[in-house]
């Protein structure tokens, strides 16, 4: 099916749903409006102590008013795009086809049209609800949706020698409208970085010279890397700010029934700055300069993610809020190569708060495979028999399940 055919199909489906159910009524009848915030790598072990100290007030409010659980990631460990594709489809990698950032054979970057399973935003869009999708991994080129899409590639800075590709957004002409909202790394100021790092705490050259020679060299390297690390942080911040701004803009000016946004910063900040916060645990030497300047960066980035969450929830208004992560974070372990999926932990987070869900309840661990079936149930839609996950029934208020009993269909895939 080509893009045009899909578009026609979506429009037809939207019209039918509109005639049968009243276009925007299906939403409120079931779970109502929905905001989904994906925070890559968010981990309860980091969140717990911060929440107790009152440093994550927005997430704490959702946890207190909603249902939360450990969210088991895929095993064996997979890269983030693979797990987010499972979250978006309810299917395992062999069914959805997104196995990496790149195709292992051709070394080409994987694109949304490699995906072989339908996403929950596609399914609920076809049911008549309108959707906005921002920043989701492997969403370029933009798909036809019943609403708006701004793809993951939108955040990159165009360069004269490397302009950004076409189809960054759906519809294509949405691009002009959101283009001014892109934040580039160079647009991040020292003041912006101030809240994340303690530059003044860096060791001075005089101090370093008092140290035994091996440590002195470690410190000198730490000092020489300061700028590079700060610029990595600028890049992380620019990406999240871009998608935050785009999502808020769309929610304000083009509101849809469902808004979905993916924020990557917590993951990248954790990879870059975990060692600074846990210098004795990572199996390689960490300079005092690094731990003094960046030791609080991961925790402070979580605070920033919480702030972004608060801004998104405020703009969104009434409805159901779902926050999830694809995996947790354990940091580099002695004897293992640091970086990439080696740093990841097996348990991510899931928080769901809204009328359909129970209040302030912690439930048993579930899987990243269960997110899509649960969102479909929240929308009053059946779950596909060919999905690998199931509805998290104990998350729902019993009254909601009575009035919206779980239904099933053989598949949502178009088989012709
Ligand atoms: Zn990662």
């Amino acid at each position: 099916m080509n893009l045009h055919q899909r578009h026609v199909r979506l429009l037809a489906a939207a019209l039918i749903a509109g005639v049968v159910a009243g276009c925007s009524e299906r939403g409120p009848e079931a779970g109502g409006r929905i905001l989904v915030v994906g925070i890559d790598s968010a981990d309860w072990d980091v969140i717990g102590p911060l929440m107790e100290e009152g440093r994550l007030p927005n997430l704490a409010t959702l946890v207190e008013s909603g249902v939360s659980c450990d969210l088991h990631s895929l095993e064996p460990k997979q890269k983030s795009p693979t797990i987010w594709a499972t979250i978006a489809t309810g299917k395992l990698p062999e069914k959805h086809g997104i196995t990496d950032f790149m195709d292992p054979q051709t070394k080409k970057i994987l694109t949304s049209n490699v995906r072989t399973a339908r996403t929950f935003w596609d399914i609920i869009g076809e049911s008549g609800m309108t959707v906005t999708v921002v920043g989701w991994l492997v969403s370029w080129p933009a798909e036809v949706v019943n609403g708006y899409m701004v793809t993951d590639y939108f955040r990159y800075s165009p360069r004269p020698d490397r302009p950004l590709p076409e189809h960054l957004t759906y519809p294509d002409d949405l691009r002009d409208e959101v283009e001014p909202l892109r934040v580039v790394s160079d647009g991040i100021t020292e003041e912006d970085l101030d809240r994340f790092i303690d530059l003044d705490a860096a060791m001075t050259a005089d101090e370093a010279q008092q140290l035994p020679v091996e440590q002195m060299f470690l410190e000198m390297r730490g000092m020489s890397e300061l700028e590079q690390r700060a610029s990595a942080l600028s890049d992380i911040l620019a990406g999240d700010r871009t998608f935050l701004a785009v999502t808020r803009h769309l929610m304000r000016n083009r509101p849809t029934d469902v808004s979905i946004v993916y924020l990557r910063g917590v993951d990248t900040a954790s990879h870059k700055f975990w060692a600074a916060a846990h210098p004795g645990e990572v199996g390689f030497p960490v300079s005092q300069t690094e731990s003094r300047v960046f030791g609080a960066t991961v925790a402070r980035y979580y605070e920033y993610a919480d702030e972004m969450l608060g801004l998104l929830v405020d703009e969104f208004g009434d409805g159901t809020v779902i926050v999830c992560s694809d995996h947790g974070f354990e940091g580099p372990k002695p004897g293992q190569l640091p970086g990439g999926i080696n740093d990841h932990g097996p348990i991510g987070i899931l928080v769901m708060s809204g009328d359909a869900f129970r209040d302030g309840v912690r439930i048993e661990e579930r899987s990243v495979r269960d997110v899509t079936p649960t969102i479909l149930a929240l929308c009053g839609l059946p779950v596909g028999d060919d999905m690998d996950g199931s509805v998290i029934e104990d998350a729902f208020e019993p009254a909601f399940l009575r009035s919206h009993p779980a239904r099933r269909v053989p598949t949502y895939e178009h088989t012709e």
Side-chain angles (χ1 to χ4, degrees):
M1 189 162 50
N2 65 29
L3 277 183
H4 178 71
Q5 285 168 320
R6 284 203 51 203
H7 203 172
V8 170
R9 183 193 285 271
L10 270 171
L11 282 176
L15 280 174
I16 292 164
V19 170
V20 173
C23 196
S24 56
E25 238 141 76
R26 181 186 284 276
E29 270 176 22
R33 300 174 64 239
I34 308 169
L35 169 65
V36 180
V37 183
I39 302 180
D40 202 298
S41 238
D43 189 300
W44 286 123
D45 285 346
V46 185
I47 288 169
L50 291 174
M51 216 153 61
E52 263 175 40
E53 289 169 35
R55 292 169 68 183
L56 308 176
N58 297 298
L59 188 64
T61 300
L62 294 175
V63 168
E64 281 157 25
S65 65
V67 51
S68 52
C69 65
D70 288 350
L71 195 62
H72 209 104
S73 193
L74 294 175
E75 285 192 50
K77 281 185 181 180
Q78 302 290 332
K79 294 191 181 161
S80 288
T82 305
I83 310 165
W84 286 107
T86 291
I87 291 175
T89 60
K91 295 189 174 179
L92 291 170
E94 54 266 31
K95 287 187 194 163
H96 66 57
I98 304 289
T99 50
D100 204 333
F101 284 98
M102 298 216 204
D103 186 308
Q105 256 91 53
T106 65
K107 302 287 173 213
K108 283 204 173 127
I109 286 177
L110 284 185
T111 49
S112 61
N113 38 33
V114 172
R115 193 177 50 234
T116 49
R118 291 180 69 200
T119 57
F120 71 83
W121 57 78
D122 192 23
I123 294 166
I124 59 187
E126 193 176 60
S127 83
M129 290 174 87
T130 51
V131 299
T132 298
V133 187
V134 177
W136 201 272
L137 282 186
V138 196
S139 58
W140 181 86
E143 306 156 58
V144 176
V145 290
N146 185 22
Y148 310 98
M149 177 176 274
V150 177
T151 61
D152 47 346
Y153 283 17
F154 176 78
R155 66 143 300 195
Y156 296 112
S157 318
R159 295 195 325 220
D161 59 325
R162 204 180 53 192
L164 290 177
E166 307 235 291
H167 310 307
L168 284 182
T169 64
Y170 176 84
D172 270 320
D173 60 9
L174 180 65
R175 179 174 175 168
D176 290 341
E177 181 181 320
V178 293
E179 197 85 33
L181 301 171
R182 182 187 296 113
V183 180
V184 297
S185 306
D186 290 347
I188 302 294
T189 64
E190 270 179 40
E191 271 171 20
D192 292 329
L193 297 184
D194 254 1
R195 61 175 289 186
F196 299 101
I197 62 183
D198 298 302
L199 213 48
D200 295 344
M203 192 173 271
T204 63
D206 281 352
E207 268 182 280
Q209 270 160 13
Q210 314 295 319
L211 295 168
V213 72
E214 213 172 289
Q215 281 178 43
M216 184 186 73
F217 280 119
L218 181 65
E219 291 309 321
M220 282 165 58
R221 201 175 66 206
M223 287 185 250
S224 71
E225 284 172 355
L226 279 180
E227 207 166 312
Q228 193 196 335
R229 285 177 185 278
S231 113
L233 183 57
S234 297
D235 186 55
I236 293 167
L237 196 52
D240 276 356
R241 278 203 180 174
T242 296
F243 290 135
L244 172 68
V246 166
T247 311
R248 293 178 75 202
H249 168 87
L250 291 174
M251 287 200 292
R252 190 175 315 152
N253 299 295
R254 298 170 178 273
T256 52
D257 297 321
V258 181
S259 292
I260 302 155
V261 54
Y262 165 82
L263 300 170
R264 184 161 185 74
V266 164
D267 179 68
T268 332
S270 299
H271 283 295
K272 288 271 176 210
F273 304 110
W274 191 269
H278 304 87
E281 300 163 23
V282 292
F284 51 84
V286 176
S287 71
Q288 286 190 47
T289 292
E290 184 180 339
S291 60
R292 287 190 201 173
V293 176
F294 300 105
T297 304
V298 172
R300 290 176 186 172
Y301 207 92
Y302 269 79
E303 287 182 303
Y304 180 61
D306 186 74
E307 221 174 278
M308 291 192 281
L309 178 61
L311 291 168
L312 289 164
V313 170
D314 281 352
E315 193 67 59
F316 172 68
D318 287 340
T320 298
V321 181
I322 298 177
V323 182
C324 66
S325 66
D326 53 338
H327 51 70
F329 200 88
E330 291 179 335
K333 289 166 268 308
Q336 262 192 358
L337 275 180
I341 61 175
N342 281 343
D343 294 356
H344 294 165
I347 308 294
I349 70 162
L350 178 64
V351 183
M352 303 188 284
S353 172
D355 289 346
F357 292 112
R358 295 160 72 196
D359 294 349
V361 180
R362 181 97 183 180
I363 57 170
E364 288 285 296
E365 171 183 295
R366 295 303 294 250
S367 159
V368 287
R369 291 170 297 176
D370 302 325
V371 175
T372 278
T374 303
I375 292 175
L376 293 179
L378 176 64
C379 295
L381 293 169
V383 175
D385 283 336
D386 56 347
M387 289 178 180
D388 296 303
S390 53
V391 177
I392 307 178
E393 293 202 352
D394 58 344
F396 286 97
E397 285 289 350
F400 180 87
L401 285 181
R402 275 197 301 275
S403 51
H404 304 88
R407 292 185 293 142
R408 303 192 71 87
V409 287
T411 183
Y412 280 103
E413 306 304 334
H414 302 304
T415 46
E416 77 268 40

